[in-house]
């Protein structure tokens, strides 16, 4: 019976192992026999690599770094506002991405090229090529922008990149200054307008104060209240004095009789006049003698007639003298206060009447003043309301003018100060070794490929 032996799939058979061993041992013989084609293949690949390195233009790469933040120190609020970066959020632009695009803008690159050409550089690339070859990268989790550029000349490459970074800082600074300049020009036009408005409001307020005699409203109100209180006290005192004078006059009238002040005055003057006293005494003496002689003789007696004539003459002279004292409006003969007590009482009555009349007049004047003060005090709020509005408008205009003047100074400072959001943290250095092609990498790849080709 025939037995069939089968080896497991995937296992190496003995014959294959023997063949592999034979091939390895025969490799030196194969290389020795075919060394010329292998050497030609390896040499051709290495020669091509060396030719590539020799004839391929070398590119030098320069790198620079900019930082973008708003932590620059500014002495003015407007400067801080203009340099403040927008807060990032959903739907809001990224300041770093915006600045990265601006670094490749034609305006900024043209400014950099003008700077490089002014320094005497030659073979300057055009703007389109420079924008295409310029690389701007945002370093993760930082506010740093890394710029890189490759060129055939290491000096021109570094100079171009430095010119771009310097121009970017200058462009950012010019943008901030342009914003401050526009604010300053606006404020320079608004400040005179606001000053003229304030002057008009001040003139209106002063005119209203003069027309309504409102210089210091609070002080005038206090003064009016104090004056009114003082006037009311005077009115109460005068009312009390008037009541006392009325009571005193009533008491004196009961003693001397109900006579008018004019009659009482005439009575006292008649009683105190020495000439009238003498004439009254003379008339009384003549009356007494006439009564005595009539008791002895008849009216036809010469002595009696002589006494009558003398008495009538004395009476007539007395009445003539009395007419100078007694007013014409008084028709009846006045009462005569002959004794000192009557004269004193009548004098007191006259003085009391005079005092009462004076108190009444003074009281009427005080009441009139009190009514005037009350009217002024009641009308003061009505007069003060327009003044309050004028004062508030003037104060608001004054505050606005001060704010505009302060902002104008801030804008002027922000326009002149050197504050930028961009800052060069790593300028471009002169590259020493070319970035492309890399000799070691090209030769290594060529050697590996040549060996494979030779094998």
């Amino acid at each position: 019976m025939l037995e069939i032996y089968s080896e497991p799939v995937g296992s190496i058979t003995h014959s294959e192992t023997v063949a592999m061993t034979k091939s390895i041992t025969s490799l030196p013989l194969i290389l020795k026999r075919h060394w010329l084609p292998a050497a030609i293949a390896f040499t051709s690949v290495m020669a091509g690599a060396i030719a590539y390195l020799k004839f391929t233009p070398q590119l030098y790469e320069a790198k620079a770094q900019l930082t973008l933040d708003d932590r620059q120190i500014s002495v003015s609020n407007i400067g801080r506002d203009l340099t403040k970066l927008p807060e990032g959020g959903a739907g809001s632009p990224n300041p770093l991405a915006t600045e990265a695009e601006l670094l490749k803008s034609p305006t900024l690159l043209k400014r950099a090229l003008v700077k490089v050409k002014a320094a005497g550089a030659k073979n300057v690339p055009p703007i389109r090529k420079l924008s295409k070859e310029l690389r701007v990268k945002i370093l993760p989790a930082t506010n740093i922008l890394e710029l890189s550029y490759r060129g055939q000349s290491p000096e021109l490459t570094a100079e171009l990149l430095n010119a771009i970074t310097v121009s970017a800082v200058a462009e950012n600074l010019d943008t901030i200054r342009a914003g401050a300049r526009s604010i300053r020009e606006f404020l320079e036009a608004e400040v005179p307008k606001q000053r003229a408005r304030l002057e008009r409001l001040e003139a209106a307020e002063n005119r209203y104060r003069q027309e309504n005699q409102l210089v210091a409203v609070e002080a005038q109100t206090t003064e009016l209240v104090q004056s009114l209180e003082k006037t009311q006290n005077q009115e109460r005192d005068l009312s009390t004095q008037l009541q006392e004078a009325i009571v005193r006059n009533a008491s004196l009238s009961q003693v001397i009789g109900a006579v008018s002040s004019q009659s009482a005055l005439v009575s006292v003057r008649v009683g105190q006049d020495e000439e009238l006293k003498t004439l009254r005494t003379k008339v009384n003496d003549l009356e007494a003698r006439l009564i005595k002689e009539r008791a002895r003789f008849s009216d036809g007696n010469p002595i009696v007639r002589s006494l009558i004539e003398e008495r009538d003459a004395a009476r007539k002279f007395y009445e003539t003298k009395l007419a100078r004292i007694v007013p014409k409006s008084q028709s009846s003969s006045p009462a005569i206060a002959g004794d000192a007590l009557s004269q004193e009482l009548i004098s007191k009555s006259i003085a009391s009447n005079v005092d009462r009349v004076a108190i009444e007049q003074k009281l009427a004047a005080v009441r009139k003043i009190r009514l005037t003060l009350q009217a002024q005090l009641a009308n003061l709020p009505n007069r003060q309301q327009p003044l309050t509005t004028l004062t508030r408008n003037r104060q608001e205009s004054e505050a606005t003018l001060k704010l505009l003047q302060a902002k104008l100074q801030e804008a002027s400072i922000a326009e002149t100060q050197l504050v930028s959001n961009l800052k060069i943290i790593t300028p471009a250095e002169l590259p020493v070794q070319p970035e492309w092609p890399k000799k070691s990498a090209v030769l290594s790849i060529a050697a590996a490929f040549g060996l494979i080709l030779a094998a």
Side-chain angles (χ1 to χ4, degrees):
M1 184 175 182
L2 182 61
E3 293 182 0
I4 300 174
Y5 176 78
S6 62
E7 294 183 355
V9 179
S11 62
I12 302 175
T13 63
H14 177 69
S15 59
E16 290 176 349
T17 304
V18 173
M20 289 176 61
T21 304
K22 189 180 292 186
S23 298
I24 293 173
T25 55
S26 63
L27 182 60
L29 297 176
I30 295 173
L31 291 175
K32 186 177 180 180
R33 186 182 305 170
H34 302 287
W35 66 270
L36 185 59
I40 292 173
F42 181 79
T43 304
S44 299
V45 173
M46 294 302 295
I50 293 173
Y52 174 78
L53 291 175
K54 184 174 180 63
F55 293 103
T56 300
Q58 294 182 342
L59 299 178
Y60 294 87
E61 185 179 45
K63 291 184 178 181
Q65 289 183 342
L66 295 171
T67 181
L68 178 66
D69 57 34
D70 55 0
R71 291 177 294 179
Q72 305 290 343
I73 300 175
S74 178
V75 297
S76 65
N77 292 328
I78 291 180
R80 287 191 289 270
D81 293 338
L82 291 174
T83 56
K84 185 175 180 61
L85 296 177
E87 297 181 359
S92 61
N94 186 355
L96 279 174
T98 303
E99 192 62 38
E101 293 298 323
L102 291 175
L103 286 171
K104 301 175 70 174
S105 64
T107 303
L108 190 145
L109 295 180
K110 182 178 180 181
R111 183 170 185 171
L113 291 178
V114 170
K115 186 182 294 293
V116 171
K117 291 179 181 178
K122 297 180 179 180
N123 299 323
V124 179
I127 294 178
R128 181 176 298 180
K129 183 179 179 181
L130 181 61
S131 175
K132 183 179 180 180
E133 295 179 355
L134 180 65
R135 299 289 183 267
V136 181
K137 181 175 68 173
I138 302 175
L139 298 184
T142 64
N143 288 335
I144 298 176
L145 295 171
E146 185 179 75
L147 289 76
S148 61
Y149 176 71
R150 291 181 180 180
Q152 297 180 12
S153 171
E155 293 82 3
L156 182 60
T157 301
E159 191 175 353
L160 273 174
L161 200 57
N162 284 327
I164 291 173
T165 55
V166 171
S167 299
V169 174
E171 188 77 17
N172 182 269
L173 182 59
D174 289 343
T175 302
I176 295 173
R177 283 180 172 175
R181 182 168 58 253
S182 62
I183 295 174
R184 175 184 58 79
E185 292 173 353
F186 169 76
L187 292 175
E188 284 179 348
E190 286 297 319
V191 166
K193 296 179 182 178
Q194 188 63 33
R195 185 179 291 111
R197 181 175 182 272
L198 177 59
E199 291 175 355
R200 290 194 300 270
L201 291 174
E202 288 176 344
E205 181 183 356
N206 293 333
R207 184 167 57 253
Y208 186 84
R209 287 180 181 273
Q210 293 175 359
E211 291 175 354
N212 294 271
Q213 298 180 353
L214 295 174
V215 180
V217 177
E218 294 182 359
Q220 286 181 292
T221 303
T222 304
E223 185 179 357
L224 281 175
V225 171
Q226 293 176 352
S227 300
L228 181 60
E229 182 180 3
K230 183 178 179 181
T231 304
Q232 289 175 342
N233 292 334
Q234 291 179 351
E235 185 178 2
R236 283 193 294 270
D237 294 340
L238 290 173
S239 298
T240 303
Q241 294 176 12
L242 181 59
Q243 293 298 324
E244 293 176 355
I246 291 173
V247 172
R248 185 168 55 251
N249 287 343
S251 301
L252 290 172
S253 296
Q254 290 179 357
V255 175
I256 63 175
V259 294
S260 62
S261 299
Q262 187 176 7
S263 300
L265 179 62
V266 171
S267 175
V268 172
R269 291 184 62 186
V270 170
Q272 292 179 349
D273 192 277
E274 295 296 333
E275 187 176 4
L276 293 178
K277 283 183 181 180
T278 303
L279 291 174
R280 283 197 301 273
T281 303
K282 184 177 180 181
V283 170
N284 291 333
D285 291 342
L286 290 174
E287 288 286 352
R289 289 174 58 190
L290 181 60
I291 292 171
K292 182 178 179 180
E293 293 299 330
R294 277 182 174 175
R296 295 171 55 192
F297 304 105
S298 63
D299 292 341
N301 190 283
I303 296 174
V304 174
R305 286 201 302 271
S306 176
L307 288 174
I308 291 173
E309 291 176 359
E310 190 175 356
R311 182 202 63 184
D312 293 341
R315 280 182 177 178
K316 187 175 181 181
F317 186 69
Y318 176 77
E319 290 176 358
T320 303
K321 294 293 185 181
L322 186 62
R324 294 183 303 175
I325 299 176
V326 179
K328 297 180 180 180
S329 58
Q330 187 173 348
S331 58
S332 60
S333 298
I336 299 173
D339 57 295
L341 180 60
S342 298
Q343 292 178 0
E344 183 180 359
L345 291 175
I346 293 174
S347 298
K348 287 183 177 181
S349 177
I350 294 172
S352 180
N353 283 327
V354 172
D355 291 341
R356 177 183 60 79
V357 172
I359 292 173
E360 287 178 348
Q361 294 177 351
K362 195 172 182 179
L363 180 60
V366 170
R367 283 176 177 171
K368 185 177 181 181
I369 294 174
R370 190 251 304 166
L371 293 174
T372 303
L373 291 175
Q374 287 178 342
Q376 290 179 356
L377 192 60
N379 193 35
L380 190 60
N382 297 330
R383 293 187 296 159
Q384 187 179 356
Q385 182 60 39
L387 179 62
T388 303
T389 303
L390 291 172
T391 303
R392 183 175 60 252
N393 293 337
R394 188 258 304 167
Q395 291 174 348
E396 291 175 354
S397 179
E398 186 176 359
T400 303
L401 178 60
K402 289 182 180 179
L403 177 61
L404 291 177
Q405 289 175 339
K407 291 299 180 182
L408 178 58
Q409 293 178 354
E410 292 181 7
S412 300
I413 294 173
E415 187 180 358
T416 56
Q417 65 185 355
L418 300 175
V419 178
S420 174
N421 287 335
L422 278 177
K423 182 180 180 182
I424 302 174
I425 57 175
T426 304
E429 297 180 357
L430 183 67
V432 179
Q433 297 294 334
E435 185 66 20
W436 181 263
K438 293 185 177 181
K439 292 182 179 182
S440 59
V442 171
L443 292 176
S444 297
I445 293 173
F449 183 73
L451 289 174
I452 294 172
L453 185 62

